Amino acid sequence: MKFKKSIYVIISALFSIAFHYVIAQTGFSNPIIKGFNPDPSICRVDDDYYLVTSSFEYFPGLPIYHSKDLVNWEQIGHCLTRDAQLPLEKAAASGGLFAPSIRYHDGLFYVICTNVSSGGNFFCTATDPTGPWSDPIYVAIESIDPDIFWDEDGKTYFVTQGNEGIRVTEIDIKTGKVIGPEHLVWRGIGGRFPEAPHLYKKDGFYYLLLGEGGTEYMHSATIGRSKNILGPYESSPLNPILTHANRIGQANPIQGVGHADLVQAKDGSWWLVCLGFRVTQPYSYYHVLGRETFLAPVDWPQGGWPQVNGNGTISLDMKTATLPLKPFSKPAIRNDFDKQQLGFEWQYLRNPLRDNYSLSEKKGWLTIKTTPNTLNDAKPISAILRRQTEHNFTATTLLQFESSKENEEAGITLIQNNNHHYDLLIIKHKKQNIIQLRVKVGSLSYIAAERIVQGNQQKLRVEGTPQQYIFSVANPDSENYSEIGKLDTRYLATEVAGGFTGVMIGLYSTSNGIPTNAKVFFDWFDYKTI
Ligand code: 6LW
């Protein structure tokens, strides 16, 4: 009997080792969500993971992603899809929605966020993370980076950033009403901008995870713990538990890592999602893709401190065992505009002028009506935009432009914000169609190249490399692209343009200040990454 039992123990141990090395897969690539997707927050419901990132002045707001394995993610919707939920009229570039948090409690999903341009802190709820989400329930606490923590005694706390440190305040979860005093609970380890708080309870301790150092090259994640939710919090001896602002991080192509959230997988393993940015090359100190979402394994022994990926750094090529991988199918390169709605990847700048877009007016084409507002205005414009997700990409569109007026133009733009964009456009001048490559970098604005083209249809193409964007055109039936010009990527970098977003690729039309309501048609849009 004893012998049988030990054979059984040995066989199951062998199975578990085989599972670890054979079934659990080894290695994954970072970032897990590419292009402008900062401030990630994550929650798990059984075998499913949900993640939300910030979206600033873009509409709809707060993309929501789903995964079965933490490595492969698919967007399933947005939290804020109705104008009433997301007023963005007053949102300048990088205004609007700051860092969100996503939580699941008692059968309800919660997204907690701040609209810094209107209304402040709020949370929304949904029974299904694909939506619909409730209207915002506002919470009268001035701050950013809010989270909600449900304590075991039934009390609910709003956890937020504060200039002095992290604050914890009891609220009524039904109404959002503040029902207790604000407590400053921890200042972190002394880095600038203690923010991005998330609170967890484990092994009898409250753990408070922070971002510190600001969201640039000094960024980090730190953690403290306390037996009492209101503190005092003791700093981890491993702090900062994540940063590249040190010697081992100095040559890393990922910089600015910080602003993190923790999640425990069903198998008991712990993981961290965080933001970081890929510089255009090591030591270049320019990034154009915005802050993206990264994943790292966490070792968190019982009663001990969490340790991120061994030494508190992450890499593009992560050599670590993952959960069994469940990839999604890859998105198609071509968007033919033959569906009734645009895909989740498309965004508007501020609340959309809905009458200006149609997918049915000219079948199989996207119709965009011009507005007087231009790409230089911090206003709603006539454009659909998607993230640049890799340094190396090709974006191409076929456009039909039938304007007879000199104030009307349409084209493809690479836009970091309304003061920093490169536009490849078609415009009428002396009855001729002219292609222009236009630069807007702060107070500098000029036409870098121009050329007369024949006919009303043109293919416009942008190729991206880490250092340059290459702009070219071709006739509708030709694959023979002719180069219009090259521009440096660095002048669209966050280090030049400022702000919290990343480069977006847009299809747009404008009537340059004069209300004319012309129409421009886009047949398809190809986006290919290399
Ligand atoms: C966000 C703050 C931050 O609210 O940047 O990286 C701000 N961290 O936590 C905007 O994303």
Side-chain angles (χ1 to χ4, degrees), residues 298-315:
V298 176
D299 179 28
W300 199 349
Q302 188 164 4
W305 293 99
Q307 185 166 24
V308 180
N309 198 32
N311 66 359
T313 69
I314 57 170
S315 57

Side-chain angles (χ1 to χ4, degrees), residues 38-39 54 56 98-99 144-145 195-196 215 219 259 275 291 500:
D39 307 322
S54 36
F56 302 94
F98 272 32
I144 55 165
D145 299 358
E195 58 193 9
T215 191
H219 210 193
H259 196 127
L275 70 73
R291 299 167 300 157
F500 294 131

Side-chain angles (χ1 to χ4, degrees), residues 448-469:
E450 61 185 342
R451 176 181 305 172
I452 297 171
V453 287
Q454 304 304 323
N456 289 332
Q457 290 193 359
Q458 277 296 314
K459 289 204 276 197
L460 307 179
R461 164 169 288 185
V462 188
E463 283 162 279
T465 69
Q467 311 298 334
Q468 284 189 310
Y469 294 118

Side-chain angles (χ1 to χ4, degrees), residues 163-166 184-191 194 208 210 212 233:
N163 288 336
E164 295 293 314
I166 304 311
L184 172 62
V185 300
W186 197 40
R187 293 171 200 268
I189 64 167
L208 187 53
L210 305 198
E212 288 190 51
Y233 281 81

Side-chain angles (χ1 to χ4, degrees), residues 334-342 356-369 384 397-402 456-459 476-477 507 519-525:
R334 172 146 301 186
N335 187 335
D336 247 325
F337 298 125
D338 53 4
K339 304 231 163 66
Q340 294 192 338
Q341 281 186 328
L342 292 172
N356 285 13
Y357 307 94
S358 170
L359 286 163
S360 56
E361 176 157 345
K362 182 170 159 97
K363 220 174 160 6
W365 295 63
L366 166 73
T367 306
I368 303 189
K369 235 190 258 174
I384 63 163
T397 191
L398 170 62
L399 154 162
Q400 182 172 325
F401 178 77
E402 286 168 358
N456 289 332
Q457 290 193 359
Q458 277 296 314
K459 289 204 276 197
D477 300 321
L507 305 178
K519 286 171 188 162
V520 179
F521 307 97
F522 295 87
D523 190 7
W524 45 260
F525 174 81

